[in-house]
Amino acid sequence: MSTFFKNPSNPLRSIAARRNIFFVLFFLLGIGVGFGQINVQFSQATGSDAEANGGNLPELIVSGGVLGADTSVTVTDAGTGTATSGTDYAFTSPQVVVIPAADYTSPSNLPITGLSITDDSEVEPDEDIVFSLSTSDGTLTLGPQTTTTYTINNDDSVTVEFSQATGSAAENVGNNLPTLFVTG
């Protein structure tokens, strides 16, 4: 080590040099601003959209500092919702989502890869999907929103109509009866 640190002639240069070394170490180790408190959580507690749109899907929010190396979190379908995987939506559970190395001092939203809603023509009640979030290493800290429920709003319908508003015939003839049309 140089004499710069052993016997500094200018104490201000020594302090500045130490600060620079600490900053570089924090950045390289992924500690960054907030001393390693990079937070990840779901973007919403609940969300929904019409089945045909499949939008407003939950995302991950990453915030709190500089992440020096890629890391990942796991999103799991809790299996407690009323929607059926493979029929109502596509998602492979558990799904590992890579959080790329970046500056997250301003919160950033990341999509949950592999999640999509299936638009069908079946008339059914609204259905839910429940997801949970976990992390396997100590690089990320889970925020308060570690579960989310997404509702698939049914947008299919059935229409029932009569062929005519009124009809009449003699009782013993039975003709001129209205026809019932069902579509959808």
Side-chain angles (χ1 to χ4, degrees):
M1 190 180 282
S2 73
T3 58
F4 183 78
F5 290 104
K6 291 182 181 175
N7 189 9
S9 60
N10 183 344
L12 293 178
R13 284 184 61 192
S14 174
I15 292 170
R18 287 182 190 146
R19 281 190 203 143
N20 289 340
I21 288 172
F22 284 124
F23 177 77
V24 169
L25 287 174
F26 288 150
F27 184 77
L28 290 175
L29 295 175
I31 297 172
V33 179
F35 299 98
Q37 298 302 307
I38 309 293
N39 298 305
V40 63
Q41 63 183 350
F42 285 115
S43 58
Q44 55 196 10
T46 60
S48 65
D49 201 2
E51 181 178 71
N53 298 338
N56 193 32
L57 295 173
E59 295 182 315
L60 299 177
I61 296 177
V62 184
S63 63
V66 176
L67 185 60
D70 291 358
T71 190
S72 62
V73 294
T74 302
V75 177
T76 305
D77 180 348
T80 57
T82 56
T84 304
S85 179
T87 302
D88 299 311
Y89 64 100
F91 184 72
T92 302
S93 181
Q95 182 71 46
V96 175
V97 179
V98 175
I99 310 293
D103 182 352
Y104 295 105
T105 52
S106 294
S108 295
N109 287 26
L110 299 174
I112 299 171
T113 52
L115 173 60
S116 64
I117 305 304
T118 305
D119 183 20
D120 62 23
S121 58
E122 185 177 335
V123 178
E124 56 194 343
D126 294 345
E127 298 172 303
D128 296 327
I129 314 166
V130 180
F131 296 104
S132 63
L133 181 65
S134 62
T135 180
S136 60
D137 64 18
T139 307
L140 300 171
T141 302
L142 293 178
Q145 195 61 55
T146 59
T147 61
T148 186
T149 301
Y150 183 81
T151 301
I152 304 169
N153 294 325
N154 181 60
D155 55 4
D156 304 308
S157 62
V158 172
T159 304
V160 179
E161 299 176 300
F162 287 103
S163 60
Q164 57 197 39
T166 61
S168 64
E171 183 177 357
N172 62 349
V173 177
N175 62 359
N176 196 26
L177 296 173
T179 305
L180 185 63
F181 293 107
V182 179
T183 58

